[in-house]
Amino acid sequence: MRWSQYYPAFEARIGGHGSSVTDLTKNVTVADIGCGFGGLLIALSPILASEYILGMEIRAQVAEFVQDRIKALRNQNKDSNAYQNIACVRANTMKFLPNFFKKSQLSKIFFCFPDPHFKARKHKARIISATLNSEYAYVLSPGGVVYTITDVEDLHIWMVNHFNTHLSFERLSGEHQNDDICTHVMGTETEEAKKVERNGGQKFMACFRRVEDPAWPSVT
């Protein structure tokens, strides 16, 4: 995938002398899966200024809206070069996540107010599951963090249970969670978070660290 089309300010020539091939000099390291209208991307841009952040949205019109929103912000901030480190793609991450990222590429993954799929027969469509968590573990580097937030307690319990029972993740303490600026941004800056706040609803948050894979047993 040619990432430089999404982060044109960081495009660089790669390959040998005289090469016409261009791409980024470093990888995307932060993903907002189901990024909605881009509120978290925009809020994180100055906070994680040295990181390349990618929003992934399955709805075509919403993804196009976020792309246009980012372009407008870049044009409004040409002097400061702001918002050049964020981008959005239309993607079905439940099917194609490993097509976008290599093993251990990401340091942070956000799941903000995912679809709860209330009916039991639709639970298999939830973005968090035992199978999908293995894919998140594949693309997340050891020490990397998965951030989750929802206003549906049942979904919160579901997500916590699925990450707690996965050997590649451990839940972070509430103290660690409170000290992480990303959790504060996630809880206040997305469009859904603001809607929940206006309606006086509850927000349930949990964060999980990617643990090191166990060493392969030595061959004797």
Side-chain angles (χ1 to χ4, degrees):
M1 186 164 179
R2 185 169 168 267
W3 289 106
S4 56
Q5 63 183 308
Y6 297 103
Y7 305 90
F10 304 112
E11 186 176 33
R13 196 174 304 279
I14 59 175
H17 179 70
S19 172
S20 61
V21 179
T22 59
D23 206 344
L24 301 182
T25 54
K26 62 180 184 178
N27 292 322
V28 172
T29 54
V30 180
D32 179 10
I33 295 180
C35 67
F37 294 95
L40 183 66
L41 294 174
I42 292 163
L44 287 177
S45 180
I47 294 170
L48 303 177
S50 63
E51 308 283 346
Y52 295 166
I53 309 168
L54 182 69
M56 310 181 81
E57 174 57 51
I58 195 171
R59 296 167 292 180
Q61 288 183 321
V62 177
E64 185 177 353
F65 170 85
V66 178
Q67 291 165 353
D68 290 342
R69 188 179 182 186
I70 292 171
K71 288 177 185 177
L73 286 168
R74 288 173 176 174
N75 288 332
Q76 293 166 14
N77 294 271
K78 286 182 178 179
D79 293 340
S80 64
N81 222 28
Y83 304 106
Q84 297 290 344
N85 64 327
I86 57 175
C88 176
V89 296
R90 185 197 176 195
N92 184 341
T93 57
M94 293 179 71
K95 291 184 177 181
F96 303 117
L97 185 70
N99 291 4
F100 288 89
F101 307 116
K102 62 185 180 182
K103 181 176 173 60
S104 302
Q105 178 174 333
L106 301 179
S107 63
K108 301 179 191 295
I109 301 176
F110 292 87
F111 297 97
C112 299
F113 302 95
D115 191 331
H117 293 291
F118 288 108
K119 294 181 179 179
R121 62 183 176 83
K122 294 289 289 180
H123 284 181
K124 62 184 178 181
R126 286 179 168 176
I127 195 71
I128 303 300
S129 69
T131 301
L132 290 172
N133 284 2
S134 293
E135 294 196 359
Y136 305 142
Y138 176 81
V139 299
L140 194 64
S141 61
V145 178
V146 170
Y147 298 79
T148 70
I149 186 172
T150 179
D151 59 333
V152 179
E153 187 173 14
D154 173 70
L155 178 61
H156 169 68
I157 293 170
W158 168 281
M159 293 192 291
V160 169
N161 286 343
H162 278 76
F163 277 113
N164 277 344
T165 55
H166 197 289
L167 296 177
S168 294
F169 294 98
E170 62 180 8
R171 188 173 182 180
L172 295 175
S173 67
E175 181 180 0
H176 188 286
Q177 184 173 297
N178 292 336
D179 290 339
D180 189 336
I181 190 172
C182 290
T183 61
H184 294 283
V185 173
M186 179 174 68
T188 58
E189 296 299 327
T190 69
E191 288 75 15
E192 281 295 324
K194 293 175 181 178
K195 179 181 176 182
V196 173
E197 197 74 34
R198 287 194 303 269
N199 294 335
Q202 285 185 284
K203 289 176 279 190
F204 304 95
M205 190 181 302
C207 300
F208 305 87
R209 180 189 289 116
R210 171 70 161 91
V211 299
E212 291 275 359
D213 292 325
W216 287 93
S218 57
V219 179
T220 57

